[in-house]
Amino acid sequence: IGFSPLSFLKKRVHHFPVSADFWIRQFLLLAEITEKDRIYTMNFANSLLGCLFVNFATDEAFMNKVSFENDLRIHRAISIIHSNYADSSLSIETIARNQKMSAVWFRKLFTKHMKITPKKYFDEYRLKVAASHIKSTTLYIKEISSSCGFSEVHYFHLRFKKHFSKTPLKYRKSRGGLI
């Protein structure tokens, strides 16, 4: 069975919003460029589509902020943040290096596309995940803060209270979370 980029992609983008054609054209271009390396093309397409589906499906604000024409490096950076938010050693500099950019350029590009700094996006994403855990689990706040990448529980409390205007415990009680 031969590799058909068009059928490969059409199978995976039927749930995609309006601009699926744009992505199909992009992947076909990628397939032409890397025709000799079909495995790379398939892996790249799979990971990119996975990243886009996961991020779009779980974060509607993300979908509204990032147009489909934006730099793929930003999509990959967001995917790294979403996949590794629990790693307290992950930094903006590490993500920038991973995207083969300087930290300064990465911050400018990210802020331009997302209208928020990468650090603030990273912190807000961690807090969003923590809030979800606080509502839906009986884990101790210390365990949740650690599992969301906050190395200091005191710092987590400060950031959480500033963002949600409530301490984590009061947030749990007000949202009908498990105690």
Side-chain angles (χ1 to χ4, degrees):
I1 297 175
F3 172 74
S4 167
L6 188 57
S7 65
F8 172 77
L9 293 171
K10 281 192 174 180
K11 287 178 191 172
R12 287 163 175 77
V13 295
H14 64 280
H15 297 297
F16 229 86
V18 193
S19 295
D21 289 338
F22 170 80
W23 283 108
I24 290 173
R25 286 192 308 275
Q26 297 304 310
F27 284 117
L28 289 175
L29 178 63
L30 176 67
E32 287 173 16
I33 293 169
T34 61
E35 191 171 313
K36 293 179 184 173
D37 192 354
R38 293 186 312 209
I39 293 172
Y40 171 79
T41 303
M42 288 176 58
N43 286 340
F44 179 80
N46 262 335
S47 70
L48 184 58
L49 285 171
C51 162
L52 293 172
F53 280 123
V54 167
N55 287 319
F56 289 164
T58 60
D59 193 347
E60 192 173 341
F62 171 83
M63 187 172 178
N64 293 332
K65 287 182 181 178
V66 180
S67 70
F68 292 122
E69 291 77 21
N70 280 345
D71 198 313
L72 291 178
R73 292 174 292 184
I74 300 304
H75 293 286
R76 288 191 304 259
I78 289 170
S79 178
I80 290 169
I81 290 170
H82 287 204
S83 301
N84 299 290
Y85 66 88
D87 182 358
S88 62
S89 67
L90 185 64
S91 67
I92 299 307
E93 289 73 19
T94 306
I95 297 170
R97 261 193 318 274
N98 181 278
Q99 300 306 309
K100 298 182 181 11
M101 290 188 268
S102 73
V104 172
W105 179 247
F106 173 71
R107 282 185 188 94
K108 285 181 183 178
L109 188 64
F110 192 98
T111 304
K112 175 185 171 194
H113 289 300
M114 296 298 294
K115 310 295 186 245
I116 187 173
T117 66
K119 173 71 173 137
K120 188 168 182 174
Y121 182 89
F122 198 9
D123 284 350
E124 286 182 6
Y125 184 76
R126 283 177 165 167
L127 289 169
K128 184 172 120 178
V129 172
S132 173
H133 290 328
I134 288 170
K135 284 190 304 192
S136 62
T137 71
T138 58
L139 292 172
Y140 292 112
I141 301 301
K142 183 177 181 177
E143 293 171 315
I144 292 172
S145 73
S146 175
S147 73
C148 291
F150 292 93
S151 54
E152 296 291 328
V153 72
H154 178 71
Y155 177 70
F156 170 71
H157 275 270
L158 291 174
R159 295 289 301 135
F160 194 94
K161 187 171 183 179
K162 183 176 181 180
H163 188 77
F164 292 101
S165 302
K166 294 179 182 177
T167 66
L169 191 55
K170 285 183 182 176
Y171 182 86
R172 177 177 272 169
K173 288 177 181 176
S174 72
R175 301 291 181 171
L178 306 169
I179 298 181

